[in-house]
Amino acid sequence: MSSQRMISVRSAPLRPLPRLGRPDGLDNGLALRRDQLDFLSRGLERHGDVFEFRLLGLPMVLVNHPDYIRHILVDNSAGYDKNAVLFKIVRPVLRKGLIANADHELWLRQRRMIAPHLTPRAIRDLAGNMTAETMRMLERWDGSDAPILDITDQIGQLALRIVNRSLFSADVDATALAFERAFGEANTILGSFFRFPFPPLSVPTRSHRRLRRAIAEMDEFVSGFIKARIEPPSSSDNTDLLTLLMNSVDETDGRGMDVEQLHHEVLNICIGAYETTTNTLSWAFYLLARHPDAERRLHDEVDRVIGDRIPDIDDIPRLPYTRMVVDETLRIYSPAYQFMRRARREDELGGYRLRKGSNVLINSYLLHRHPDFWDDPERFDPERFTPENTTARPKHAYIPFGSGHRVCVGKHFALTELVLVLATVASRYRLRLPDGAAPITPEALITLHPKGGVHLRPQRRKARAR
Ligand code: HEM
C-alpha cells in the first residue's frame, strides 16, 4: 500500500484534483448515460485513483483507493454526510428510512432501535425461514423435465418470501409480486436518472409518473401489513421483525418510532434485503455454472458437511468454501456497487484539495478490480478469500457492505441467507448453462443487475428425494 496516499498533516499547498471532461459537464452527462462504468474506468485510467468531473453542473469526485475510502467512511466520517446527489435521487422512494437518511440525529436514533434486531445472535431466529423457503422453491423445481429456469426470477421470489416471513410472518401473495414489479420499475427509472438527472423528478414526464405509481404500490404493500398489526392492536405473539420494530424504544428517552417512520424503515429493509441478495445469488449460480472446478469444490464441501440434511446456522462456520464463493461473487458483481457522500467541508485527499459540497462517489465495482489489490480481477477465484489472502489486503479494498458507521445494517442477515441458500441448493442441484448461452453482462442501475436475468437448467445431483 502506498504510504504517499496516507492522509497527512498538510505541509505543502494542496493541488487541484485532476478533472475529467468539460467544466460544464455536458459531455460527461452524455458519456455517463451511454455507459457509466466505462466512463468512470476511463477516468481512472487517465488520472489514477481520484479525479473530479461535473455532471450537469454538479461537482462530482470519484475516489478509488482503500486509503481514501477509509478516510471518508471511517477516519473523517464526520466531514461527510448523505446529502449527496445519489441519495437525493433515491430519497423519494426511501424517504426517512436508514438508507438515505442525512439527518444524523434521527439516523442515529433509528439505527440504535433497529441494529439490535439484526445482530448475528438475533438472526438465529430467522435462519430457519431461509432454508424452509429454499426447500419450498426446490420442491417446485422437482419433477420438472429439466427446463431452463429464469433463476433471477426464482431467487427474486425466494428473497421476497424470506423477507416477508422474517418481517411479517407472512406468505408471499399477489401483493408481494406487485412489490417486486414496482421495485424493478423504480430501479430502472432511477438508474437512468442517476446517469443523467434531467428533467427534475418534479416534472411530470411519463417515466416520472410511472415512478410515482411504483412508489405508491410499494407503499401499499408495506402499509397493508402495518395497518393489520395496529388496527385493532394485535394481541398475537409474533416475534417477527415488524413486531420487534414496533416494540423498539430508544434508550435515551424510552420512546419508540411513529407509524410513518416505521413505514419508512420497513420499506428500507424490504428494498435493502430483496434486490441485493437476489442479484448476488443469481450471479453466484451463473459464475459456478461457468467454473466447474469451483462448483466441484463447493459440492464436495456441502456433501461432506451437510450431506442429506437441511443446513442450519451452526453449519455456517463449517462451510468456508461456500462463504468464499459468496465473497468472490460480491467482489465481482457487488450489487450495491455505488454510494456517495457529500463533503461538508473542504478536505484533503493525498495532497489534493477536495472542495466543500463535492459529491464523492465510491464505486465498489471499480474498487474491487483495482489492479494493485486484485490480480487478474475479472477472473472468478474464491481462493482470494482464504484467511491468509484476506489478511494480506487492506480492509478497504473490499467493501460490498460499505464501512464505518453507515455500514449495511443487514450484513449478517444477508451473509446468513446467501450461505444457507447456496449450500441448500448446491447440495441438491447443479445449475447448468443452456447450450450456446451468451455471456451475461451487468446492467448498472441503482443496483448492479444481470442484464436480461440469469437463465440456467437445474439438474438433480442425486436421484433420491431428500
Ligand atoms: C448482498 C446483500 C447486501 C448488500 C451487498 C448490501 C449493501 C449495502 C451497502 C453498501 C450499504 C451502505 C451504503 C452507504 O454507505 O451509503 C447498505 C446499507 C444498508 N442496508 Fe444493505 N446490503 C445487503 C443486504 C441488506 C439486507 C438483507 C438488509 C436488511 C435486512 C439491508 C438493509 C440496509 C439498510 C437499512 C442500510 C442503511 C444502513 C444505515 O445507513 O444505517 N441490506 N447495504
Side-chain angles (χ1 to χ4, degrees):
M1 184 191 346
S2 154
S3 58
Q4 281 180 329
R5 286 202 177 79
M6 298 307 286
I7 317 302
S8 56
V9 176
R10 193 179 299 176
S11 55
L14 295 181
R15 287 167 293 156
L17 280 165
R19 167 169 293 183
L20 187 68
R22 284 178 9 183
D24 63 11
L26 262 182
D27 51 343
N28 295 332
L30 296 174
L32 261 170
R33 193 170 181 82
R34 251 195 319 276
D35 189 337
Q36 178 190 348
L37 294 172
D38 178 64
F39 166 77
L40 297 173
S41 319
R42 279 191 287 113
L44 292 174
E45 269 164 34
R46 189 176 314 164
H47 295 302
D49 293 334
V50 56
F51 64 87
E52 67 176 8
F53 61 100
R54 292 247 156 196
L55 178 60
L56 292 179
L58 297 167
M60 318 283 287
V61 174
L62 178 70
V63 293
N64 199 50
H65 190 279
D67 292 350
Y68 299 156
I69 290 171
R70 193 194 58 230
H71 176 76
I72 290 161
L73 297 182
V74 183
D75 301 341
N76 188 29
S77 60
Y80 294 86
D81 65 24
K82 284 210 174 185
N83 268 318
V85 59
L86 175 68
F87 291 111
K88 288 185 181 161
I89 288 173
V90 294
R91 208 166 285 140
V93 180
L94 298 168
R95 288 159 280 182
K96 291 188 289 169
L98 283 186
I99 298 178
N101 196 324
D103 171 346
H104 185 77
E105 289 309 309
L106 177 60
W107 166 80
L108 187 59
R109 184 186 165 78
Q110 289 302 116
R111 178 99 184 191
R112 275 197 301 261
M113 284 194 272
I114 294 170
H117 306 303
L118 292 167
T119 60
R121 201 186 159 84
I123 296 306
R124 292 190 68 80
D125 295 338
L126 304 174
N129 295 333
M130 299 173 181
T131 45
E133 288 297 343
T134 310
M135 290 304 290
R136 281 175 69 183
M137 175 182 80
L138 297 183
E139 276 157 26
R140 287 193 296 277
W141 291 5
D142 255 0
S144 51
D145 192 15
I148 296 170
L149 287 181
D150 181 339
I151 293 297
T152 309
D153 182 51
Q154 292 285 313
I155 300 290
Q157 289 185 32
L158 171 64
L160 210 50
R161 282 175 193 279
I162 291 173
V163 102
N164 261 21
R165 280 223 165 278
S166 308
L167 262 168
F168 312 124
S169 314
D171 247 336
V172 157
D173 61 11
T175 56
L177 299 177
F179 176 90
E180 199 179 4
R181 196 205 57 76
F183 176 80
E185 179 101 320
N187 198 8
T188 308
I189 296 168
L190 292 177
S192 79
F193 191 70
F194 169 70
R195 293 197 297 274
F196 197 70
F198 193 81
L201 283 176
S202 51
V203 176
T205 61
R206 211 168 136 250
S207 69
H208 297 174
R209 276 198 299 271
R210 275 179 20 226
L211 176 65
R212 265 198 290 280
R213 225 178 7 254
I215 295 171
E217 275 168 23
M218 288 188 274
D219 278 345
E220 205 176 311
F221 172 71
V222 168
S223 59
F225 288 107
I226 295 181
K227 273 199 192 120
R229 215 49 84 75
I230 55 178
E231 295 170 2
S234 162
S235 60
S236 82
D237 52 0
N238 273 330
T239 53
D240 55 29
L241 272 174
L242 178 58
T243 310
L244 297 173
L245 295 182
M246 285 172 69
N247 295 336
S248 275
V249 289
D250 186 31
E251 66 202 18
T252 61
D253 58 12
R255 287 192 301 121
M257 50 186 117
D258 62 28
V259 175
E260 187 189 39
Q261 187 70 38
L262 178 69
H263 179 113
H264 294 166
E265 300 300 1
V266 169
L267 184 67
N268 275 238
I269 291 175
C270 287
I271 289 177
Y274 153 69
E275 160 92 358
T276 48
T277 47
T278 301
N279 288 340
T280 311
L281 286 165
S282 303
W283 286 118
F285 289 120
Y286 171 70
L287 288 165
L288 287 165
R290 292 180 60 102
H291 296 87
D293 287 348
E295 187 191 51
R296 201 167 311 117
R297 282 195 62 186
L298 175 70
H299 288 164
D300 287 350
E301 179 173 274
V302 295
D303 290 353
R304 194 175 63 253
V305 176
I306 59 177
D308 282 354
R309 288 186 298 117
I310 297 173
D312 64 41
I313 198 160
D314 294 320
D315 289 312
I316 292 179
R318 294 193 288 271
L319 294 166
Y321 194 76
T322 313
R323 171 64 194 266
M324 282 156 59
V325 168
V326 166
D327 289 341
E328 175 66 341
T329 305
L330 286 167
R331 180 188 71 82
I332 302 190
Y333 297 120
S334 192
Y337 71 104
Q338 62 179 357
F339 43 94
M340 260 189 207
R341 295 292 185 269
R342 183 198 58 149
R344 299 176 62 216
R345 38 186 180 259
E346 185 180 299
D347 198 3
E348 179 208 335
L349 276 188
Y352 291 114
R353 171 181 293 114
L354 192 140
R355 275 180 289 193
K356 177 179 172 182
S358 299
N359 291 281
V360 182
L361 176 61
I362 296 173
N363 185 305
S364 49
Y365 182 91
L366 299 172
L367 178 73
H368 294 171
R369 285 165 171 72
H370 195 304
D372 290 356
F373 307 102
W374 309 98
D375 277 345
D376 193 4
E378 293 301 334
R379 183 167 46 91
F380 174 69
D381 179 9
E383 289 296 312
R384 297 180 201 270
F385 289 93
T386 59
E388 308 76 60
N389 289 340
T390 301
T391 323
R393 256 187 322 263
K395 182 171 168 233
H396 287 85
Y398 180 67
I399 49 160
F401 294 100
S403 184
H405 63 290
R406 302 297 297 249
V407 70
C408 177
V409 75
K411 176 179 172 178
H412 305 295
F413 185 112
L415 287 170
T416 305
E417 176 175 342
L418 295 171
V419 170
L420 287 179
V421 173
L422 192 57
T424 309
V425 175
S427 67
R428 289 154 174 86
Y429 280 88
R430 167 172 291 135
L431 297 177
R432 294 253 180 243
L433 281 173
D435 294 340
I440 298 174
T441 51
E443 190 175 21
L445 304 174
I446 292 291
T447 52
L448 196 75
H449 183 83
K451 197 168 185 178
V454 171
H455 294 80
L456 298 170
R457 191 190 295 280
Q459 194 178 64
R460 279 290 286 269
R461 289 192 51 223
K462 289 173 192 160
R464 190 159 62 84
R466 283 183 270 194

